Amino acid sequence: EAGVAQSPRYKIIEKRQSVAFWCNPISGHATLYWYQQILGQGPKLLIQFQNNGVVDDSQLPKDRFSAERLKGVDSTLKIQPAKLEDSAVYLCASSLRGLQSEQFFGPGTRLTVL
Amino acid sequence: GESVGLHLPTLSVQEGDNSIINCAYSNSASDYFIWYKQESGKGPQFIIDIRSNMDKRQGQRVTVLLNKTVKHLSLQIAATQPGDSAVYFCAESPDNNDMRFGAGTRLTVKP
């Protein structure tokens, strides 16, 4: 079974630029999550999708972050404009039965904002 | 031990010994707890989970203990192997919309 795919693996941008990350979850997983993991910290849940609808985005900084999951499969997370403090690994995960069950994580995208 | 949101502690054990990683959680409403292992450059990998109606759950070489009275969670790894070296995260969840991860504990296994 293929795992969660993410691209790109690494991205370096300057502050105030925009960036987008892509995620393809495990086939059949209705729930998809985006996390932000700052170096030395645990992942922080940003947004949760059930199929193509947003379940919860209370931790997403909506003035600069946006996410979508068109057609209920792939998802993109965008940052515009980026700030220095956005430097982190952005993890995508998916699960069969919602947040309170095993989540399968992708390898993440490491973002560096200069 | 680890508290959700604080610095990253470390644990060093000898190969073959048992490891115990601790986690203090903060939300008394949390009813679901989970442990993940994260190796360098990879995403977290599920180890074991437990719901609040249980005190103990066992998996292959791992046991999770939950003490709701003192809001404490621990992960025990039996016969620790070099491949167990990683950062271990606990996470707590009060409902299906919220999950909070701790800062993690770095486990190093010495051969």
Side-chain angles (χ1 to χ4, degrees), chain A residues 58-72:
Chain A
S58 56
Q59 298 297 307
L60 190 72
K62 298 181 194 57
D63 57 333
R64 298 183 301 105
F65 286 64
S66 64
E68 60 183 10
R69 191 184 183 196
L70 300 176
K71 302 180 182 178

Side-chain angles (χ1 to χ4, degrees), chain A residues 33-36 44-48 56-61 65 77 90:
Chain A
Y33 318 88
W34 283 101
Y35 288 84
Q36 179 193 59
K44 174 188 173 184
L45 181 63
L46 295 176
I47 188 168
Q48 179 183 178
D56 187 87
D57 62 357
S58 56
Q59 298 297 307
L60 190 72
F65 286 64
L77 176 70
Y90 289 85

Side-chain angles (χ1 to χ4, degrees), chain B:
Chain B
E2 167 192 352
S3 290
V4 175
L6 296 184
H7 64 278
L8 180 67
T10 59
L11 175 66
S12 182
V13 300
Q14 205 70 37
E15 181 178 359
D17 287 352
N18 296 333
S19 303
I20 300 177
I21 301 171
N22 296 303
C23 175
Y25 65 94
S26 58
N27 190 347
S28 56
S30 290
D31 61 358
Y32 177 81
F33 306 87
I34 191 165
W35 282 97
Y36 282 94
K37 169 187 179 184
Q38 187 173 30
E39 296 174 282
S40 182
K42 297 184 179 180
Q45 179 184 6
F46 172 85
I47 300 173
I48 192 167
D49 58 2
I50 188 168
R51 296 196 178 272
S52 59
N53 60 351
M54 301 174 69
D55 298 323
K56 178 179 179 179
R57 190 166 188 221
Q58 289 184 291
Q60 187 175 14
R61 282 200 308 120
V62 294
T63 301
V64 56
L65 298 178
L66 175 62
N67 185 329
K68 295 180 286 293
T69 303
V70 295
K71 292 190 284 189
H72 184 269
L73 192 68
S74 69
L75 176 70
Q76 300 178 3
I77 304 174
T80 314
Q81 303 167 0
D84 295 326
S85 294
V87 177
Y88 289 79
F89 294 99
C90 67
E92 58 172 314
S93 172
D95 55 56
N96 230 6
N97 293 332
D98 187 11
M99 178 166 284
R100 306 290 171 121
F101 281 72
T105 295
R106 182 176 300 281
L107 174 66
T108 301
V109 182
K110 296 175 289 186

Side-chain angles (χ1 to χ4, degrees), chain A residues 12-23:
Chain A
I12 301 174
I13 62 173
E14 295 189 348
K15 60 183 179 183
R16 292 188 289 272
Q17 286 187 322
S18 62
V19 63
F21 313 123
W22 173 83
C23 172

